[in-house]
């Protein structure tokens, strides 16, 4: 019974994800699903990203949280359209939630849509939202054990951002170990070191987004 229930839930989600994906395809909107544990710095990263890339792209953000509109308000203050989804206790966004909020956007006028998922290294990785790319964010203060302890998250993402590298002189974290752990789990992924606070390494992240967008509009 449990396996049947799980199958039904994912089947329903996947149908909604297919609808979302077709919507994004028709509008030529690149969609990036950004996932991490709470406090890793997703919103700060997106604030910096919006400020830099909105000069070249029309950007919007869907914010996922258990409660409050705090993160959406931060993104709006940067000049981007943002909609908040409150899961009221749910540990992840699903494709149906995304489908319900899409009518609040003028999707044909959006080049890049970021989805900031609920802070959690387990549940979000299992749900297709209709995105083109999944990106995982890890931060230096979380320690070196997160990649091997949560392999499904990092196995299902093609890029891992290592945030808060400005704290490396003060925290016991081994970047080489993190890179090796990621390669062991997902040889096709890569680790990009950034600091959303100082701007260190952010240009590589921006370049990745630009490359993903160029590849997408040629599909």
């Amino acid at each position: 019974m449990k396996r049947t229930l799980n199958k039904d839930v994912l089947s329903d989600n996947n149908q909604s994800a297919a609808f979302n994906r077709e919507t994004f395809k028709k509008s030529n909107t690149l969609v990036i699903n950004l996932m991490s544990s709470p406090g890793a710095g997703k919103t700060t990263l997106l604030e910096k990203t919006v400020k830099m890339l909105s000069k070249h792209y029309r950007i919007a953000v869907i914010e996922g949280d258990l409660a409050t509109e705090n993160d959406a308000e931060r993104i709006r203050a940067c000049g981007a359209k943002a909609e908040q989804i409150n899961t009221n206790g749910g540990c992840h966004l699903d494709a149906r939630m995304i489908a319900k909020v899409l009518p609040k956007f003028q999707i044909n006028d959006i080049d890049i849509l970021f989805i900031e998922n609920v802070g959690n290294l387990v549940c979000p990785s299992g749900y297709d939202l209709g995105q083109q790319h999944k990106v995982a964010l890890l931060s230096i203060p979380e320690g070196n054990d997160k990649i091997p302890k949560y392999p499904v998250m990092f196995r299902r993402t093609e890029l891992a951002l290592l945030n808060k590298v400005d704290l490396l002189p003060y925290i016991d974290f081994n970047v080489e170990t993190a890179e090796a752990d990621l390669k062991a789990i997902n040889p096709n992924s890569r680790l990009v070191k950034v600091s959303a606070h100082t701007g260190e390494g952010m240009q590589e992240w921006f370049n990745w987004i630009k490359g993903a967008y160029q590849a997408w509009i040629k599909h």
Side-chain angles (χ1 to χ4, degrees):
M1 177 66 72
K2 183 178 180 180
R3 284 197 295 270
T4 301
L5 179 60
N6 287 342
K7 182 178 179 181
D8 289 344
V9 169
L10 288 176
S11 176
D12 186 38
N13 181 82
N14 291 340
Q15 289 179 20
S16 295
F19 168 82
N20 294 344
R21 188 171 290 107
E22 185 62 24
T23 300
F24 301 141
K25 182 178 179 180
K26 290 178 179 177
S27 63
N28 268 339
T29 303
L30 175 73
V31 183
I32 298 172
N33 182 5
L34 185 62
M35 300 172 287
S36 79
S37 59
K42 295 189 299 298
T43 309
T44 301
L45 181 90
L46 287 177
E47 286 177 312
K48 297 295 179 66
T49 302
V50 167
K51 289 177 181 178
M52 177 58 67
L53 294 186
S54 60
K55 303 172 186 177
H56 310 287
Y57 304 98
R58 298 167 296 177
I59 298 176
V61 179
I62 294 175
E63 289 285 348
D65 274 306
L66 274 68
T68 83
E69 285 236 349
N70 294 349
D71 288 351
E73 289 172 358
R74 288 171 59 182
I75 297 299
R76 292 173 193 138
C78 297
K81 169 75 172 177
E83 290 293 337
Q84 184 77 47
I85 297 176
N86 291 139
T87 63
N88 299 312
C91 61
H92 60 87
L93 296 177
D94 64 39
R96 292 168 297 179
M97 296 175 185
I98 302 300
K100 287 179 181 178
V101 82
L102 285 181
K104 297 183 179 181
F105 294 93
Q106 295 294 327
I107 195 67
N108 290 323
D109 296 330
I110 299 173
D111 297 318
I112 303 174
L113 174 65
F114 292 98
I115 300 173
E116 181 180 338
N117 220 310
V118 178
N120 189 308
L121 283 176
V122 181
C123 303
S125 64
Y127 284 79
D128 181 8
L129 305 181
Q131 73 287 308
Q132 285 82 51
H133 300 284
K134 289 183 177 181
V135 174
L137 183 68
L138 175 70
S139 67
I140 296 296
E142 294 176 74
N144 267 110
D145 63 344
K146 292 299 180 289
I147 295 176
K149 285 178 69 174
Y150 299 94
V152 175
M153 169 63 72
F154 293 95
R155 188 177 297 125
R156 292 177 174 174
T157 55
E158 61 200 84
L159 181 71
L161 300 175
L162 180 60
N163 192 26
K164 306 185 183 180
V165 293
D166 53 302
L167 298 180
L168 277 171
Y170 315 105
I171 295 177
D172 184 15
F173 187 97
N174 190 298
V175 174
E176 290 73 21
T177 297
E179 290 174 329
D181 287 340
L182 181 62
K183 285 297 181 184
I185 291 170
N186 185 351
N188 296 318
S189 185
R190 64 188 177 104
L191 193 72
V192 173
K193 301 181 288 294
V194 302
S195 170
H197 176 65
T198 67
E200 180 181 349
M202 291 290 284
Q203 189 59 53
E204 187 173 356
W205 161 237
F206 298 153
N207 289 342
W208 182 88
I209 295 170
K210 292 175 183 178
Y213 180 75
Q214 289 302 317
W216 169 244
I217 62 175
K218 292 177 182 177
H219 71 278

